[in-house]
């Protein structure tokens, strides 16, 4: 029942040295508790739900881990957010086909303009990023990964390993049979 500021204040009083570190811990703990509670509610309704879908934040600060996982469907016992400190990803229910209705929703996105806009809720981070201007994509991915993303049409999930650790450009090229000299 504490606010983010109250949690941050308590963390700094027990030895967390910086306010920034305390805020990061408070935000990450809050995301963990919220996601765990949401998952328990969803799991309790498994008669109408098939699992949950990861919802990552659509902006330039989203990590490769969350960008690669965005919009994917998971089961009740799969690893859930937070996946790293300051993780902003969450989960949403996946309704069983026999109960599903064609309802179109939206989600917030912050692209190159810096303004928040609403986009189709079914748009994954990768699909959203491909719709952004080249300069924005290059800023988000870096020049080397931008080239792999555009020229070689690699999916963002190819940018992380099986443990969700981001891969270097050389590792990505080796795993995808792309000449290292390119």
């Amino acid at each position: 029942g504490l606010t983010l500021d109250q949690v941050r204040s308590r963390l700094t009083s027990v030895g967390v040295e910086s306010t920034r570190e305390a805020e990061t811990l408070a935000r990450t703990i809050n995301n963990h508790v919220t996601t765990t509670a949401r998952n328990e509610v969803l799991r309790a309704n498994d008669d109408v739900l098939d699992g949950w879908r990861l919802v990552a934040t659509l902006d330039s600060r989203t990590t490769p881990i969350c960008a690669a996982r965005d919009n994917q469907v998971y089961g009740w016992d799969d690893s859930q957010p937070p996946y790293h400190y300051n993780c902003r990803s969450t989960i949403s229910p996946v309704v069983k086909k026999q109960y599903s209705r064609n309802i179109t929703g939206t989600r917030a996105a912050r692209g190159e303009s810096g303004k928040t806009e609403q986009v189709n809720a079914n748009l994954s981070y990768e699909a959203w990023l491909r719709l952004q201007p080249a300069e924005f994509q290059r800023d988000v991915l870096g020049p080397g990964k931008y080239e792999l993303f555009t020229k070689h049409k690699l999916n963002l999930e190819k940018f992380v390993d099986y443990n969700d650790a981001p891969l270097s450009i050389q590792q990505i090229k080796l795993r995808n049979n792309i000449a290292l000299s390119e």
Side-chain angles (χ1 to χ4, degrees):
L2 301 177
T3 67
L4 184 60
D5 285 339
Q6 290 169 324
V7 173
R8 184 185 64 209
S9 179
R10 283 192 177 180
L11 286 169
T12 55
S13 72
V14 295
V16 176
E17 294 186 19
S18 77
T19 302
R20 185 174 181 196
E21 185 179 37
E23 189 171 311
T24 296
L25 282 170
R27 185 170 284 119
T28 305
I29 291 166
N30 183 55
N31 188 352
H32 171 71
V33 170
T34 301
T35 302
T36 300
R38 185 174 287 133
N39 188 43
E40 289 306 311
V41 170
L42 299 181
R43 184 191 300 250
N45 291 285
D46 66 355
D47 55 327
V48 293
L49 300 175
D50 267 338
W52 54 270
R53 181 180 313 275
L54 183 82
V55 181
T57 302
L58 301 180
D59 68 14
S60 62
R61 297 180 345 197
T62 300
T63 65
I65 298 165
C66 294
R69 286 176 162 248
D70 184 49
N71 217 28
Q72 291 186 24
V73 175
Y74 296 93
W76 307 119
D77 296 321
D78 288 329
S79 171
Q80 55 194 347
Y83 297 118
H84 52 81
Y85 286 113
N86 265 337
C87 185
R88 298 172 295 149
S89 293
T90 189
I91 63 175
S92 68
V94 175
V95 178
K96 288 184 177 182
K97 288 192 188 296
Q98 67 261 35
Y99 302 112
S100 131
R101 302 292 177 263
N102 190 14
I103 301 171
T104 56
T106 61
R107 66 193 279 198
R110 187 177 303 222
E112 184 178 46
S113 70
K115 294 181 182 176
T116 301
E117 62 182 4
Q118 294 297 312
V119 298
N120 185 308
N122 296 322
L123 196 64
S124 70
Y125 187 93
E126 180 173 323
W128 172 78
L129 185 60
R130 289 194 188 279
L131 295 173
Q132 301 307 302
E135 188 64 30
F136 183 83
Q137 292 178 23
R138 194 176 294 107
D139 287 346
V140 168
L141 299 172
K145 289 181 181 177
Y146 167 76
E147 183 178 321
L148 294 171
F149 184 68
T150 56
K151 180 180 174 189
H152 295 283
K153 304 277 190 246
L154 290 185
N155 296 334
L156 291 180
E157 60 190 23
K158 301 282 189 179
F159 292 11
V160 295
D161 69 12
Y162 303 111
N163 295 314
D164 290 328
L167 297 170
S168 69
I169 294 168
Q170 184 176 5
Q171 290 170 317
I172 296 167
K173 285 182 174 184
L174 284 171
R175 285 177 181 233
N176 293 283
N177 298 318
I178 299 170
L180 294 176
S181 60
E182 284 192 51

